[in-house]
Amino acid sequence: MPQLQAFNLCYQHRNGDVVFNDLSFSLTAKVTALIGINGCGKSILASILAKQKEPSSGTVICNSALGFYEQMNDVNLVDNLTIVEAIGLEPVFKALHAINQGQVTEQNLSLLEGNWDLEERFNAELVRLGINNKTPNSLSKHLSGGQLSQLKLWALFTCIKPDILILDEPSNHLDTKGKSWLIKQIHNFKGQLLLISHDQELLEHAYEVWELTTLGLTQYGTCFSEYQTQKQQQVAALENKLNHVVKQQSKLKAAEQLQKQKAQKRAGQGAALRKSGSQPKVLIDAKKDKASANLSSQSKNTAKREGELTRNKQELSSQLEQTKAQQFYLAQSGDAKHQKVLSLENVVLAHGTQKPLNLQVFSDDKIHVAGANGTGKSTLLKTLTYDIPLKAGQLHCNQALYYLDQHFTLINNKLTLLENVMTYCNNLNESTARTLLASIGFKKDAVFKHAAVLSGGEKMKLAMCIVSNIESTAFLLLDEPDNHLDLESKQLLAQSLQGFKGGFILVSHDKYFVESIGCNRQIGL
């Protein structure tokens, strides 16, 4: 019997928007991948399965111990927590400390089962991650996003060890070495795993793929590469059906026009006969009544057929919209002039690498910053905006810089999407702002949603839209903008950055993403 099942799940926001409806499924494969475009409800579904959210209706049955790795969308939520609090091991460490103080209770013994050597293993993990001079009670804000992510995953895989594990975007913030470690943990995990991810390298290790859309949950009993093939065939079939319906509509309109022309011709002939008096009036009136009845019947049939074709077109268009990739738009002003933007002279960062940095950056540069977790990539970007002070050296900036971090702190959750864009982009009128929002998937009344209800990927798309349209001379600092984005949006963002006329400094661990952009410089930390 499956250990995790869901029946008729529905979730609805307080404003009445339905996220998903009537989802029923059973987790049976060792590794199941849950995919879908940003905002379709994957993280909400994961929270419901982990009993952290209540569904609007429906039931979840779990007969085994379940662990949940949750996306870290807001860094401020863990800033003031200790490391063990942030990774969920505080009760275990407290139990260990209590037993060492002589407080031997059944609850403490239960918590420590299999974890008597926790302190030694924890310290060894800190060493592996290159985290120096930190204790379990050090504040988590002193770790990089990648280091904290790996520690949270390590706690789940090696200390908590549940029977079922739900991982929501576990590779976000991980460097190449960290991702390899994660893949090894997934392979060695003895239980069942539900993997929510947009990372192609991770998805290749799934046994089954589930896709969540507004149309429901489609279960593909295949690996990810086979799913991609089936998906392409599905899109092609929908496009063919839609093209066929459009052609039928065109033919129907042409036939309707021809009927009108024939009716007009017959009416003209009847008028001429009536005027000539060559046929009795009663006969002419009978012919006219019969012709009118035929025309009315034909018009009703045509209208019925038009209605059927229109409904088919709308249904196919809706399916295709949920199946095909969304758009991603970056402002494309004139070509950026080759002007010096930044100058770093013997700069030493407050955190991360302590090697002095000497660097000159120009307005048309597209620079990729590479390096392992903890080497100071995010610190470098925050130093350039003066958010973190220099430890040593000189920094000169000659142009406006716009920093987009991995936690979307740019976005005001209390404002609507439209208000966010209008607040930052003073040069845009409301019509242009709505057009920009429509181009990234927020159409019609969706612009009045509050940013707080957006998914991580939707927030990143909104933030990218804002920073690229603030002003034409903006130089962008992009801290892992590909995190949280669905596969299609990630590809479209790469294409947009490749064609972006301005300059940017990019931090990313995704080699596929970086290669597809075509950066002209790389900095290694």
Side-chain angles (χ1 to χ4, degrees):
M1 179 180 175
Q3 297 301 297
L4 180 62
Q5 295 176 289
F7 301 95
N8 310 115
L9 288 185
C10 172
Y11 188 82
Q12 190 173 19
H13 287 304
R14 289 181 180 177
N15 64 1
D17 290 343
V18 176
V19 181
F20 49 73
N21 193 28
D22 199 28
L23 302 186
S24 297
F25 52 84
S26 300
L27 193 67
T28 55
K30 185 178 186 298
V31 181
T32 300
L34 176 62
I35 63 173
I37 64 172
N38 297 134
C40 68
K42 301 183 299 296
S43 294
I44 290 174
L45 178 58
S47 296
I48 290 172
L49 296 177
K51 300 296 178 74
Q52 292 194 0
K53 274 186 189 294
E54 287 293 325
S56 301
S57 60
T59 309
V60 174
I61 297 175
C62 184
N63 298 315
S64 299
L66 188 145
F68 181 34
Y69 176 88
E70 193 172 7
Q71 279 191 58
M72 189 170 56
N73 283 345
D74 189 349
V75 69
N76 298 318
L77 295 178
V78 296
D79 258 2
N80 296 317
L81 299 181
T82 64
I83 295 175
V84 292
E85 286 173 337
I87 65 176
L89 287 184
E90 184 191 24
V92 188
F93 269 92
K94 279 187 173 180
L96 181 61
H97 179 73
I99 286 178
N100 287 337
Q101 297 295 316
Q103 300 174 28
V104 181
T105 66
E106 191 173 322
Q107 183 181 8
N108 287 339
L109 290 172
S110 176
L111 280 169
L112 278 172
E113 186 177 348
N115 285 309
W116 290 98
D117 58 346
L118 179 60
E119 281 191 347
E120 292 80 2
R121 287 193 290 126
F122 179 82
N123 290 328
E125 187 64 12
L126 293 183
V127 171
R128 185 184 76 83
L129 295 174
I131 302 170
N132 302 316
N133 305 318
K134 296 290 184 292
T135 69
N137 293 316
S138 297
L139 288 178
S140 63
K141 66 181 179 182
H142 297 308
L143 304 183
S144 73
Q147 289 170 331
L148 185 57
S149 295
Q150 276 200 71
L151 280 173
K152 287 173 71 176
L153 289 164
W154 170 81
L156 281 167
F157 278 114
T158 66
C159 302
I160 300 171
K161 294 182 283 192
D163 301 310
I164 299 172
L165 193 49
I166 299 175
L167 302 181
D168 191 1
E169 301 286 2
S171 64
N172 283 357
H173 316 297
L174 297 190
D175 56 22
T176 304
K177 188 176 178 182
K179 197 182 293 187
S180 297
W181 172 87
L182 173 58
I183 290 170
K184 184 179 178 182
Q185 298 303 312
I186 290 173
H187 276 295
N188 293 339
F189 185 61
K190 303 299 182 185
Q192 288 181 298
L193 199 148
L194 180 62
L195 172 65
I196 302 172
S197 181
H198 300 300
D199 190 316
Q200 192 164 343
E201 194 174 346
L202 242 61
L203 292 171
E204 294 292 351
H205 298 276
Y207 292 67
E208 282 190 11
V209 174
W210 294 355
E211 184 179 29
L212 183 61
T213 70
T214 56
L215 303 174
L217 185 72
T218 304
Q219 300 182 38
Y220 297 83
T222 61
C223 63
F224 183 69
S225 55
E226 180 60 30
Y227 152 79
Q228 286 181 306
T229 302
Q230 290 186 25
K231 188 72 173 176
Q232 289 170 354
Q233 293 170 348
Q234 184 182 356
V235 170
L238 283 172
E239 286 177 333
N240 287 335
K241 286 181 181 178
L242 186 58
N243 288 334
H244 180 65
V245 169
V246 170
K247 286 179 181 177
Q248 284 183 310
Q249 282 185 318
S250 298
K251 286 181 179 179
L252 191 63
K253 284 180 180 178
E256 187 179 13
Q257 185 61 33
L258 185 62
Q259 285 175 359
K260 286 181 180 178
Q261 289 173 351
K262 287 181 177 179
Q264 288 171 354
K265 186 177 179 181
R266 286 195 297 269
Q269 290 171 344
L273 283 172
R274 181 186 292 272
K275 190 174 181 181
S276 67
S278 59
Q279 289 189 9
K281 182 176 178 297
V282 67
L283 180 60
I284 293 174
D285 287 344
K287 287 182 178 180
K288 181 182 177 182
D289 291 343
K290 184 178 179 182
S292 295
N294 287 339
L295 183 61
S296 176
S297 177
Q298 288 173 352
S299 295
K300 287 179 181 177
N301 290 335
T302 299
K304 184 179 178 182
R305 182 62 179 149
E306 277 181 348
E308 290 173 355
L309 289 173
T310 299
R311 285 190 292 274
N312 286 343
K313 183 180 178 181
Q314 289 173 344
E315 186 177 339
L316 288 168
S317 297
S318 175
Q319 290 180 33
L320 199 55
E321 187 176 347
Q322 299 304 322
T323 306
K324 291 186 73 174
Q326 297 180 0
Q327 292 179 294
F328 210 113
Y329 178 84
L330 296 184
Q332 300 294 348
S333 55
D335 290 337
K337 296 176 182 177
H338 188 73
Q339 296 176 338
K340 189 185 292 185
V341 175
L342 291 163
S343 178
L344 285 72
E345 299 172 10
N346 296 313
V347 166
V348 178
L349 302 176
H351 311 291
T353 180
Q354 296 302 290
K355 183 180 178 181
L357 300 174
N358 288 283
L359 179 67
Q360 296 204 347
V361 178
F362 294 87
S363 52
D364 55 352
D365 276 337
K366 296 183 177 182
I367 301 171
H368 173 225
V369 179
N373 291 139
T375 53
K377 300 181 298 298
S378 296
T379 300
L380 171 61
L381 297 190
K382 291 176 182 176
T383 301
L384 298 179
T385 58
Y386 301 99
D387 288 332
I388 294 180
L390 301 174
K391 196 171 183 179
Q394 296 290 322
L395 168 63
H396 303 284
C397 180
N398 306 315
Q399 188 173 323
L401 304 177
Y402 291 97
Y403 174 54
L404 178 58
D405 66 32
Q406 23 186 307
H407 306 292
F408 332 113
T409 51
L410 172 82
I411 293 173
N412 187 336
N413 283 329
K414 294 180 180 179
L415 299 180
T416 66
L417 280 63
L418 183 60
E419 288 169 341
N420 267 285
V421 174
M422 297 293 289
T423 299
Y424 284 103
C425 306
N426 297 321
N427 57 320
L428 301 180
N429 58 39
E430 183 175 331
S431 176
T432 304
R434 293 189 68 151
T435 300
L436 288 173
L437 288 168
S439 76
I440 56 172
F442 302 116
K443 300 175 181 177
K444 299 179 180 177
D445 288 345
V447 302
F448 301 119
K449 283 183 182 177
H450 278 81
V453 305
L454 299 182
S455 70
E458 287 177 312
K459 283 186 176 180
M460 183 57 76
K461 290 164 77 172
L462 175 61
M464 279 300 303
C465 178
I466 289 171
V467 297
S468 69
N469 287 280
I470 285 177
E471 58 178 89
S472 59
T473 58
F475 189 90
L476 307 183
L477 306 177
L478 307 174
D479 197 351
E480 302 194 52
D482 51 312
N483 275 355
H484 309 286
L485 291 182
D486 57 58
L487 290 166
E488 293 85 2
S489 294
K490 191 179 289 194
Q491 292 165 0
L492 288 164
L493 175 58
Q495 292 169 12
S496 296
L497 288 173
Q498 186 181 44
F500 185 56
K501 299 297 192 297
F504 56 79
I505 297 176
L506 166 73
V507 173
S508 176
H509 294 299
D510 190 323
K511 62 181 181 180
Y512 299 107
F513 179 69
V514 173
E515 286 171 1
S516 58
I517 292 171
C519 296
N520 55 16
R521 293 176 64 186
Q522 186 176 69
I523 300 170
L525 298 184

